Amino acid sequence: MKQVWYEVSGGLMLKIRCENKEQVCARLLKVEEIPSMLRDAENAFKVRFSIRTALGDKAYVWDTNEEYLFKAMVAFSMRKVPNRETTEISHVLLCNVTQRVSFWFVVTDPSKNHTLPAVEIESAIRMNRNRINNAFFLNDQTLEFLKIPTTLAPPTDPPVPIWIIIFGVIFCIVIVAVVLLILSGIRQRRRKSKEPSEADDTEDKCENTITIENGIPCDPLDTKGGHINDAFMTEDERLTPL
Amino acid sequence: MEKARPLWANSLQFVFACISYAVGLGNVWRFPYLCQMYGGGSFLVPYIIMLFVEGMPLLYLELAVGQRMRQGSIGAWRTISPYLSGVGLASVVASFFLATYYNIINAWAFWYLFHSFQDPLPWSVCPLNHNRTGYDEECEKASSTQYFWYRKTLNISPSIQDSGRVQWEPALCLVLAWLVVYLCILRGTESTGKVVYFTASLPYCVLLIYLVRGLTLHGATNGLSYMFTPKLEQLANPKAWINAATQIFFSLGLGFGSLIAFASYNQPSNNCQKHAIIVSLINSSTSIFASIVTFSIYGFKATFNYESCLDKVILLLTNSFDLEDGFLTPSNLEQVKSYLASAFPSKYSEVLPQIKNCSLQSELATAVQGTGLSFIVYTEAIKNMEVSQLWSVLYFLMLLMLGIGSMLGNTAAILTPLTDSKVISRHLPKEAISGLVCLVNCVIGLVFTMEAGNYWFDIFNDYAATLSLLLIVLVETIAVCYVYGLRRFESDLKAMTGRTLNWYWKVIWAGVSPLLIISLFVFYLTDYILTGTLKYQAWDASQGQLVTKDYPPYALAVIGLLVASSTMCIPLVALGTFIMRCFKRKGDTPPVA
């Protein structure tokens, strides 16, 4: 009898399958074996591969060589655990490989004839998850270990949030622009309030020199712009009103 | 010597200012929603009819009044009739409310803009929970974009009663938004005239870029065909016509006094009829243009979600039945499902509750408007595009330009009457008045940065300016046509611009528009009365979705106060003027010999 895999489904009913899928091996179980079987069932993990989803056209075919690679990766992960450096590829057992490409696996310890506890396997796989993924060109979503939660990447928090930096820059620019505009407005107003007072001074000087004849200021050289010659009578006054 | 009134440097600045004011966020986030709700392509029929019957004439009326009276809203209506200066005051009050709550949208746009410079975009991934074993619960139940909006941006409380504290991040953005507005209005028309070149043209550039990008997105045609297939039976629905009229009315920003303020800085000989037609046509075509962009983005988002839903169903079936990876495709999904149902009935019935019914139509039919559209739906579409940071920056810059352009008009409506008033402008320079107005609005606006701020925002958005504007514009039309006299106004315009008034405008101003506005007013009132208690949508963090709740009594009181404070100005000021005149007359009569 070769490596036997079993799954427990409700109550004490045990379905026994052999390594070749779909074959039900009938085997009478001794009562003492049942507790160990139950324990071993807990130490099994279901794995699921989604190769075509991940790679599309470049998908490779799942065959026994790929299974060998998988066993090698699991054995490698177990070897990194202290006290388990002697794990061999033959200690890793796969069973129930489906078309989906999903299967169950356990890691056995032949010297003590039991399967290694799930906690150890879980921690070993978690530590080396990245290496296992890379060996198959997959990631955490396409190579799923069903009872092992993925370790989520911690969020990258820069010491100063980026948005505050950009906010600070724009805030300073706006404040500088506002201050500049206000200052230039004040300067313009001061210049305007100086000009009328200067214009008033020149007008006072002019007034002293204007001579008046017949009620019309006689000023051939018009200092105010020189377009209107007041020496000539305006049109309206020539025509006597009716 | 009176100081000369500041003028626009050229008529192009005036047109750009009007476009910048009228083309605002409503064109981008309200019109596409209405189009979707009221029959797609067939909504354009009532929309265009209302544009010619209501929008253009009323816009021309306001511009003509402003250009003729050469004063802000209060002074202009006082010139028409001293009893009607209440109309101007009501406009200023409505503009004040609008300015207070509108700038928070600019603050939110700044917030999203500053966050767009990160990789990955912060609203595309859910944050981790405390022990780093999974994603945050609220984010899982809702989506990452909803989580970013409701939790990170607003930090919204479960109901309007839980006010919470002022959030310092949105408060900072609000201060920045007001500083930017102050910078633009600081020097009056001199600075505003230059800024509107940007705020009017940049949104069109961005919309054009988005149009090209949107039309080339996968699934865009789904959205466009959904929107533009006319559902002609909606033409018989009175709500479609009412919403078309309302949309034109509010989209042009009539009744706030901004258009009067802008036109008062015009040369008297300016051809405001031509400008009115240009501005209203550009406003409506921008709405249609923006809805093309929005619907191609909708189509992309809906197709993306539909395909993700299908992928999830395929994965579920593949895993449950251990089928070969890649065997199930969207095309053979239905066949395989029926095969599985017949071959493995017990197992299929176990899996059945988890299988979602994916439907492209239901994804497209999720109609969203308002802030939800801009900050949730659009960001969801953007995060799935390539180079999403670039698209995000462009989009929020466009929102900012639209928002600031409208704010310039709002603040002009408040500042022009203040600077026209000799009492105030003698004591304070223009810069100080603008600064004071911005400061007061900013401080009041901090209310919207509290945890319950978004609920107060919705109150202001729905009630602060809707009813009162209808009343204001109604009184304006009646005042110009019947109190001032249509013939007198006509001869004024002829003297001013040299062109005779077309009979079309006369007919619409005197007859059609007042009737239309009265019917809109009656509809709104009956709608409010029939709905009974007013309700609002509150965000429930535990469920990750919106729930409907009733407003508490003090919120209803605030709503009543908002509506009353602007509408009551009109009768109260008229009454006050009447009483003052009576006193004056009583004081005058005895001494006459």
Side-chain angles (χ1 to χ4, degrees):
Chain A
M1 188 214 64
K2 286 207 196 135
Q3 301 99 349
V4 173
W5 174 246
Y6 36 68
E7 65 182 276
V8 179
S9 69
L12 287 168
M13 280 287 296
L14 297 171
K15 249 189 249 175
I16 309 163
R17 297 180 197 269
C18 296
E19 203 176 57
N20 306 324
K21 46 191 173 187
E22 314 293 71
Q23 254 187 328
V24 179
C25 309
R27 188 175 99 97
L28 277 174
L29 296 164
K30 293 188 210 159
V31 180
E32 309 88 72
E33 284 180 324
I34 295 179
S36 62
M37 280 192 227
L38 287 170
R39 190 178 50 238
D40 292 344
E42 292 164 2
N43 298 336
F45 290 90
K46 182 161 183 182
V47 186
R48 208 186 274 152
F49 280 71
S50 309
I51 309 174
R52 199 157 302 164
T53 315
L55 301 169
D57 290 334
K58 301 196 198 113
Y60 47 80
V61 178
W62 186 260
D63 54 12
T64 44
N65 297 325
E66 306 283 344
E67 287 178 24
Y68 189 81
L69 176 60
F70 181 78
K71 290 189 208 175
M73 294 305 295
V74 173
F76 161 76
S77 312
M78 288 314 297
R79 283 184 156 212
K80 296 238 163 159
V81 175
N83 295 335
R84 298 285 176 206
E85 285 94 346
T86 51
T87 317
E88 297 289 333
I89 294 182
S90 50
H91 299 166
V92 182
L93 310 177
L94 303 189
C95 196
N96 209 9
V97 183
T98 64
Q99 236 186 344
R100 170 75 179 80
V101 194
S102 68
F103 49 82
W104 294 79
F105 78 92
V106 273
V107 185
T108 56
D109 187 353
S111 55
K112 303 216 180 100
N113 207 9
H114 69 86
T115 56
L116 297 183
V119 183
E120 279 188 32
I121 306 185
E122 180 176 332
S123 64
I125 302 268
R126 279 186 94 164
M127 302 278 250
N128 300 291
R129 189 64 186 270
N130 217 19
R131 306 278 303 258
I132 304 178
N133 286 348
N134 284 336
F136 291 98
F137 302 125
L138 300 172
N139 60 25
D140 281 355
Q141 278 78 44
T142 40
L143 170 49
E144 297 166 79
F145 287 82
L146 271 130
K147 273 188 286 184
I148 304 180
T150 56
T151 324
L152 298 165
T156 49
D157 271 337
V160 180
I162 301 179
W163 78 270
I164 288 199
I165 301 174
I166 306 175
F167 169 82
V169 168
I170 302 209
F171 194 75
C172 293
I173 295 177
V174 171
I175 293 242
V176 165
V178 167
V179 167
L180 281 178
L181 274 185
I182 293 181
L183 286 178
S184 73
I186 294 177
R187 219 177 297 138
Q188 256 185 14
R189 218 170 292 126
R190 248 185 244 152
R191 222 181 293 141
K192 266 194 210 155
S193 58
K194 273 195 213 145
E195 273 177 23
S197 51
E198 286 171 4
D200 286 338
D201 293 337
T202 50
E203 273 176 19
D204 284 335
K205 290 185 200 142
C206 286
E207 298 237 324
N208 294 334
T209 54
I210 291 175
T211 50
I212 305 214
E213 196 176 288
N214 286 346
I216 303 164
C218 187
D219 204 345
L221 294 167
D222 197 351
T223 50
K224 278 194 227 148
H227 297 296
I228 304 168
N229 196 340
D230 286 332
F232 289 102
M233 279 168 68
T234 48
E235 285 286 308
D236 294 328
E237 291 179 12
R238 210 194 300 156
L239 303 167
T240 47
L242 289 164
Chain B
M1 251 286 282
E2 238 185 67
K3 222 183 354 177
R5 192 175 180 77
L7 294 172
W8 297 109
N10 51 45
S11 64
L12 193 65
Q13 281 189 356
F14 167 64
V15 174
F16 270 27
C18 288
I19 292 177
S20 179
Y21 168 66
V23 173
L25 294 164
N27 299 64
V28 171
W29 74 30
R30 175 103 176 126
F31 181 78
Y33 167 78
L34 288 177
C35 226
Q36 192 176 5
M37 293 294 287
Y38 295 110
S42 55
F43 183 71
L44 291 177
V45 171
Y47 187 70
I48 292 179
I49 292 179
M50 288 298 164
L51 171 67
F52 282 100
V53 164
E54 185 199 357
M56 252 185 236
L58 290 175
L59 181 65
Y60 182 28
L61 181 70
E62 287 220 356
L63 291 183
V65 167
Q67 195 170 305
R68 165 75 186 84
M69 304 300 165
R70 312 207 75 214
Q71 293 180 75
S73 51
I74 297 184
W77 296 109
R78 198 183 319 136
T79 315
I80 288 193
S81 158
Y83 295 104
L84 286 177
S85 46
V87 175
L89 191 61
S91 295
V92 172
V93 171
S95 287
F96 181 75
F97 288 146
L98 186 73
T100 313
Y101 83 79
Y102 201 83
N103 221 13
I104 192 75
I105 305 175
N106 289 333
W108 291 331
F110 268 122
W111 168 265
Y112 270 81
L113 179 67
F114 296 149
H115 277 87
S116 307
F117 290 97
Q118 291 174 10
D119 180 35
L121 288 174
W123 52 83
S124 57
V125 286
C126 272
L128 303 177
N129 60 15
H130 287 298
N131 35 7
R132 305 261 177 98
T133 52
Y135 293 116
D136 186 285
E137 203 186 301
E138 191 182 346
C139 195
E140 289 271 281
K141 296 221 177 79
S143 63
S144 52
T145 46
Q146 281 181 314
Y147 176 78
F148 187 75
W149 170 243
Y150 284 112
R151 190 52 48 214
K152 289 282 156 116
T153 311
L154 301 175
N155 197 13
I156 206 164
S157 61
S159 75
I160 198 170
Q161 283 98 322
D162 314 314
S163 299
R165 297 185 324 254
V166 171
Q167 310 293 310
W168 63 270
E169 299 104 335
L172 276 182
C173 293
L174 182 66
V175 169
L176 178 64
W178 274 111
L179 275 175
V180 170
V181 169
Y182 181 53
L183 178 66
C184 299
I185 59 175
L186 189 45
R187 290 289 202 82
T189 46
E190 192 188 310
S191 51
T192 312
K194 302 209 175 41
V195 172
V196 293
Y197 285 130
F198 287 111
T199 58
S201 48
L202 192 77
Y204 287 101
C205 296
V206 175
L207 273 177
L208 196 62
I209 297 175
Y210 256 92
L211 182 72
V212 173
R213 172 77 265 222
L215 289 176
T216 52
L217 281 173
H218 167 65
T221 41
N222 291 336
L224 284 175
S225 60
Y226 180 78
M227 173 187 154
F228 282 112
T229 28
K231 301 176 190 64
L232 289 168
E233 64 274 8
Q234 285 287 343
L235 280 178
N237 182 1
K239 281 209 159 190
W241 292 87
I242 290 170
N243 274 303
T246 322
Q247 172 62 14
I248 290 273
F249 190 88
F250 292 123
S251 173
L252 286 171
L254 303 165
F256 281 109
S258 315
L259 295 162
I260 296 181
F262 280 153
S264 69
Y265 297 119
N266 265 340
Q267 303 272 10
S269 54
N270 184 41
N271 184 3
C272 53
Q273 175 183 281
K274 182 175 78 169
H275 291 149
I277 296 178
I278 292 177
V279 169
S280 48
L281 280 178
I282 290 184
N283 182 45
S284 294
S285 27
T286 311
S287 290
I288 299 176
F289 183 41
S291 58
I292 296 179
V293 175
T294 306
F295 275 94
S296 35
I297 305 255
Y298 264 167
F300 165 70
K301 177 183 101 70
T303 312
F304 188 87
N305 286 347
Y306 171 66
E307 287 177 357
S308 315
C309 177
L310 278 181
D311 283 339
K312 281 203 197 104
V313 171
I314 289 177
L315 191 66
L316 177 68
L317 286 176
T318 314
N319 288 344
S320 318
F321 292 96
D322 282 328
L323 303 165
E324 192 185 325
D325 182 33
F327 170 64
L328 263 183
T329 59
S331 40
N332 64 9
L333 182 61
E334 289 303 313
Q335 287 175 311
V336 176
K337 265 165 74 171
S338 42
Y339 162 70
L340 287 173
S342 53
F344 306 98
S346 53
K347 201 162 187 188
Y348 191 77
S349 51
E350 277 174 25
V351 179
L352 192 60
Q354 300 168 38
I355 300 181
K356 269 196 242 170
N357 238 342
C358 301
S359 151
L360 186 60
Q361 290 297 315
S362 65
E363 292 280 341
L364 284 171
T366 49
V368 194
Q369 59 162 336
T371 48
L373 172 58
S374 285
F375 296 110
I376 300 179
V377 172
Y378 254 91
T379 46
E380 197 178 316
I382 288 174
K383 77 174 197 238
N384 296 325
M385 297 185 197
E386 289 112 44
V387 201
S388 39
Q389 282 79 10
L390 171 69
W391 300 109
S392 182
V393 167
L394 274 180
Y395 176 67
F396 290 110
L397 263 181
M398 177 186 82
L399 279 192
L400 262 178
M401 290 296 115
L402 290 173
I404 291 184
S406 302
M407 278 306 291
L408 295 180
N410 285 331
T411 44
I414 305 174
L415 286 174
T416 309
L418 288 179
T419 48
D420 285 346
S421 142
K422 298 195 181 47
V423 172
I424 299 177
S425 54
R426 214 182 304 146
H427 293 289
L428 290 171
K430 195 171 41 180
E431 287 92 344
I433 303 178
S434 323
L436 268 177
V437 169
C438 289
L439 185 66
V440 169
N441 274 316
C442 187
V443 168
I444 299 180
L446 287 176
V447 169
F448 301 114
T449 58
M450 293 198 301
E451 287 178 26
N454 195 39
Y455 302 129
W456 290 106
F457 173 82
D458 283 333
I459 286 185
F460 270 73
N461 195 20
D462 291 334
Y463 304 108
T466 40
L467 265 182
S468 31
L469 278 185
L470 287 171
L471 190 64
I472 290 173
V473 176
L474 179 65
V475 176
E476 281 184 5
T477 325
I478 294 179
V480 169
C481 293
Y482 300 108
V483 176
Y484 190 75
L486 192 55
R487 273 186 228 276
R488 195 169 146 201
F489 194 61
E490 187 185 347
S491 57
D492 280 347
L493 284 181
K494 178 141 192 221
M496 205 168 62
T497 62
R499 286 178 196 84
T500 44
L501 195 60
N502 200 330
W503 61 268
Y504 176 73
W505 305 121
K506 285 190 271 192
V507 166
I508 303 272
W509 286 349
V512 181
S513 288
L515 288 174
L516 199 58
I517 300 175
I518 290 176
S519 52
L520 280 182
F521 196 70
V522 165
F523 161 75
Y524 261 97
L525 277 180
T526 46
D527 202 43
Y528 283 155
I529 296 171
L530 283 176
T531 11
T533 45
L534 297 166
K535 296 190 200 291
Y536 69 104
Q537 303 276 72
W539 176 254
D540 187 346
S542 53
Q543 290 181 43
Q545 59 181 3
L546 292 167
V547 292
T548 320
K549 291 194 177 165
D550 285 333
Y551 276 125
Y554 66 87
L556 293 173
V558 169
I559 295 175
L561 208 67
L562 279 177
V563 177
S565 49
S566 41
T567 45
M568 285 298 130
C569 284
I570 305 177
L572 283 179
V573 170
L575 195 64
T577 322
F578 181 68
I579 292 176
M580 276 190 357
R581 285 210 158 178
C582 277
F583 277 143
K584 259 199 202 164
R585 224 171 284 148
K586 285 202 185 129
D588 284 341
T589 37
V592 175

